[in-house]
Amino acid sequence: MKSTAPDRPAPSSSHHPIRLFSLSPWLLIVVPWLAVTVAAQTQLTGVIEGRVLNTTSGNYLNHARVAIRGTNLETLTDALGEYRVAQVPAGSLIEVSASFADLEPQTVPVRLTPGQVLRQDFALARREKRDDGSVVVLDVFTVKEREMNGQAIALQERRTAPNLKNVISLDEFGDMGEGNVGEFLKFVPGVNMQYNPQTPQAAGIRGMPATGTIVMANGAEMASSQDGTRTFDLGLSASGNVERVEVSKVPTPEMPANAIGGTINIISKSGFSRATPLLSYNAFLTHNALGGPGDLHPRLRRQTGPDPKTSVPSTQPAFNLSYILPLNRKLAFTFALSRAPRYSDFQYLFSVWDRVRGIQTQNRPGNLILTEERDLASVSVDWKPADRHVVQASFQGSNQTVFTRQFHLTSTVGANATGGPTFSQGAPTAVGNVSQVFNTWTAQYKTLRHTALSYRYDGTRWKIDANAAYSLGGLQRKDTEDGFFNNITTSLAGLAVRYEGLDAIGQQRSAILTATNSAGRPVDVFDGRNYSVTGATSNPLRVSDEIVRFGLNARREFSAAFPLS
């Protein structure tokens, strides 16, 4: 009789002895291999660190490229010109090179022992070549030195940017653009400027409105001082303490979500950016007068305005001043002061003609006087409490005061007027009228207070960047508080108005205006005592914008057989 063995239960789906057995050899191989690889890298490698200096300008270089020849190890210097390359093969002679746009690259052979932290600094000089390619060593040359160093900084920043970005180094320009950063942005492709009325006030990027452009100081958004909009007023960002301006046209993950057009990041000068102190100053005059250069008065003669706030010289002195003071390797300061007043005077004419009869029926000359004062002060402190730790505290305060005075004199000849191309005469029944309008009289007081605190740690494994910023912008528009109305309308009726000195239809020439009453007696239309006030309005405004920002970025490097962070 044949015996049959009992059936064995089939393995459940939750147990796979064959699969576990097949994976165990791989685990026995991979784990020891990773451990041996990490240990070998730790024992047979070292670290090279240092700083890269531009000997021509005396500034430490940001984003200079440092590479280990014969390997794929390379890095870029930070804003202080410092670099650090880890896991460098040790035990043999290696070559370390540093390069920067428009500067002569430098290569230094070093010998690194396992576990050693070797310091290697670089001093790069400007590259000059003859026609045959040989190097020329020049003496100190300062005429274009500043501009050429600025070009090199802008070029290197664009090369190393992770996105589409334009960089403007202010040292590239011979002047400071009246202290307004917008004077430099108008040269950037894809940036459209808005003026108020002749100085840059706002910027849009890639055709987007200025409300979609975020303006930042060292990566922290600055508050707006505009009326009912997020648009930043460029008049409150003086250029005295600015190293470069970065215009990003393509968003990156860390940018604010409302930067639909792009961002403008104003990078200020750092106390650790130089090896020696540096005092920079720029003094200039602004002149704006209806008579052109002929109205330039050496004695800064005052113009006759409607009130003391606008009775100022048409030529205004201005200055920018900055001082970088690196006390030692642990502590550095930067200071900046800017003042940029400006006087503006505009005249314009609006006229109406009866083109059937060839008679001018209305004449309205206008005048606009605008005085502006901009002041900025900033200070920053850089501190290194320990190696690879940097703390920076900065404060910027700016004020902009604008006084606007606008005046219209509108005259109408009325019905049944006679005349020709050179004159117009109202009817003897005196149906004409004249009105004086004091329009848009305002005093605007704009303020910006921006405070920031940042901390950066650049270690072998950990890299930490933390920051906090507080920005407060404000606008006060006053009229009756300062002793006047925003708008006053006056009227003088019952006149026979006459225009003389015209220059035919279509010509923009203000008429010689005279008038008589119904009795034929002359009436002085320029004497305000003859007018009746028909309206007076006030339009005050107070705006406040507050931004509080905190940020923390942390990165850790792992020692593995492949790059992992």
Side-chain angles (χ1 to χ4, degrees):
M1 188 174 184
K2 187 175 180 181
S3 63
T4 303
D7 295 336
R8 295 180 179 179
S12 65
S13 60
S14 60
H15 300 283
H16 301 279
I18 296 178
R19 295 180 183 177
L20 291 175
F21 180 79
S22 63
L23 288 176
S24 59
W26 289 102
L27 295 175
L28 294 174
I29 294 174
V30 173
V31 174
W33 175 75
L34 286 174
V36 171
T37 302
V38 172
Q41 289 180 344
T42 303
Q43 294 176 0
L44 301 180
T45 62
V47 177
I48 300 178
E49 63 182 15
R51 302 182 81 177
V52 182
L53 175 70
N54 182 348
T55 58
T56 307
S57 64
N59 295 328
Y60 288 105
L61 295 173
N62 183 33
H63 285 168
R65 187 176 300 275
V66 180
I68 309 299
R69 293 284 184 88
T71 71
N72 60 354
L73 297 175
E74 65 177 30
T75 188
L76 299 176
T77 58
D78 59 15
L80 307 183
E82 297 179 340
Y83 75 92
R84 183 180 179 87
V85 183
Q87 299 182 9
V88 181
S92 61
L93 190 67
I94 58 176
E95 293 183 339
V96 185
S97 65
S99 60
F100 193 85
D102 210 27
L103 298 181
E104 187 70 32
Q106 186 178 1
T107 302
V108 178
V110 299
R111 188 176 298 275
L112 187 66
T113 59
Q116 180 186 8
V117 178
L118 177 65
R119 182 170 187 86
Q120 178 60 55
D121 295 330
F122 290 90
L124 306 184
R126 177 156 302 284
R127 183 189 332 210
E128 300 290 348
K129 291 187 177 181
R130 293 193 181 98
D131 293 338
D132 58 2
S134 58
V135 177
V136 178
V137 179
L138 298 178
D139 293 332
V140 177
F141 187 69
T142 59
V143 175
K144 287 294 181 182
E145 171 188 314
R146 180 185 178 201
E147 290 81 356
M148 296 178 71
N149 288 327
Q151 294 173 1
I153 292 174
L155 178 61
Q156 187 72 6
E157 291 291 333
R158 288 196 294 267
R159 285 180 175 177
T160 58
N163 60 345
L164 181 60
K165 181 169 68 173
N166 291 96
V167 180
I168 309 165
S169 176
L170 267 62
D171 285 343
E172 187 176 350
F173 295 85
D175 60 70
M176 303 299 289
E178 293 190 42
N180 190 321
V181 175
E183 295 290 350
F184 306 97
L185 293 173
K186 64 185 181 183
F187 298 110
V188 178
V191 175
N192 56 291
M193 302 301 303
Q194 299 176 8
Y195 294 83
N196 185 29
Q198 78 284 351
T199 57
Q201 186 179 33
I205 301 177
R206 298 187 298 116
M208 303 299 292
T211 53
T213 300
I214 303 300
V215 181
M216 303 181 292
N218 300 314
E221 183 179 355
M222 291 191 288
S224 171
S225 298
Q226 298 273 29
D227 177 7
T229 176
R230 292 183 177 182
T231 303
F232 180 78
D233 191 344
L234 295 173
L236 292 175
S237 60
S239 59
N241 195 38
V242 177
E243 177 185 295
R244 65 184 187 274
V245 181
E246 300 176 349
V247 181
S248 296
K249 302 176 182 178
V250 178
T252 54
E254 78 280 0
M255 290 184 181
N258 57 332
I260 56 176
T263 62
I264 298 173
N265 192 15
I266 302 173
I267 307 298
S268 59
K269 298 176 181 178
S270 170
F272 288 136
S273 64
R274 288 190 54 84
T276 58
L278 176 66
L279 174 65
S280 303
Y281 59 90
N282 175 257
F284 54 94
L285 296 173
T286 60
H287 175 71
N288 189 323
L290 295 173
D295 279 351
L296 182 62
H297 302 289
R299 296 181 181 180
L300 304 181
R301 189 179 67 189
R302 289 179 177 269
Q303 300 296 313
T304 303
D307 65 341
K309 297 294 185 181
T310 53
S311 298
V312 298
S314 59
T315 304
Q316 294 286 324
F319 70 89
N320 292 308
L321 176 68
S322 70
Y323 184 49
I324 303 177
L325 178 61
L327 292 179
N328 48 51
R329 295 178 61 88
K330 298 290 186 180
L331 188 63
F333 296 89
T334 60
F335 305 93
L337 289 173
S338 296
R339 177 168 175 79
R342 182 166 182 154
Y343 170 86
S344 300
D345 191 2
F346 303 88
Q347 283 188 359
Y348 47 92
L349 175 65
F350 177 82
S351 59
V352 177
W353 286 77
D354 182 343
R355 292 182 176 270
V356 176
R357 295 186 299 159
I359 297 175
Q360 186 176 120
T361 58
Q362 187 182 92
N363 190 278
R364 189 177 70 187
N367 180 260
L368 171 63
I369 297 178
L370 186 146
T371 61
E372 177 184 0
E373 296 179 0
R374 291 189 294 112
D375 301 280
L376 177 138
S378 66
V379 59
S380 64
V381 181
D382 295 270
W383 176 44
K384 288 185 177 180
D387 189 26
R388 298 192 288 275
H389 296 263
V390 178
V391 178
Q392 185 188 68
S394 62
F395 171 78
Q396 171 184 319
S398 54
N399 298 320
Q400 182 185 32
T401 304
V402 181
F403 298 101
T404 306
R405 306 291 186 261
Q406 191 169 5
F407 172 80
H408 292 154
L409 181 66
T410 304
S411 58
T412 304
V413 293
N416 300 321
T418 58
T422 59
F423 80 98
S424 293
Q425 174 65 53
T429 53
V431 293
N433 62 80
V434 180
S435 65
Q436 291 187 4
V437 180
F438 301 89
N439 185 33
T440 318
W441 277 44
T442 60
Q444 295 190 49
Y445 303 91
K446 297 182 180 181
T447 59
L448 175 64
R449 303 292 182 264
H450 187 83
T451 305
L453 179 66
S454 64
Y455 164 76
R456 187 176 70 254
Y457 173 71
D458 189 6
T460 305
R461 294 183 180 271
W462 282 98
K463 298 183 185 299
I464 301 175
D465 179 13
N467 56 77
Y470 176 77
S471 188
L472 178 63
L475 165 65
Q476 292 189 47
R477 188 173 64 208
K478 300 181 180 180
D479 41 48
T480 55
E481 292 181 73
D482 284 2
F484 52 85
F485 285 99
N486 175 256
N487 185 292
I488 297 179
T489 304
T490 65
S491 178
L492 179 58
L495 299 176
V497 177
R498 180 179 177 84
Y499 300 146
E500 293 184 284
L502 303 180
D503 197 13
I505 297 176
Q507 299 298 319
Q508 293 296 303
R509 174 180 292 184
S510 182
I512 300 174
L513 176 62
T514 58
T516 58
N517 58 18
S518 57
R521 289 192 292 269
V523 178
D524 188 357
V525 297
F526 301 102
D527 189 346
R529 294 172 296 181
N530 294 328
Y531 288 78
S532 300
V533 177
T534 58
T537 60
S538 175
N539 189 25
L541 178 69
R542 292 181 184 270
V543 175
S544 179
D545 183 28
E546 184 179 43
I547 297 178
V548 181
R549 180 183 187 275
F550 300 93
L552 173 64
N553 300 307
R555 176 188 179 98
R556 189 184 191 278
E557 301 285 346
F558 295 92
S559 298
F562 53 89
L564 178 63
S565 61

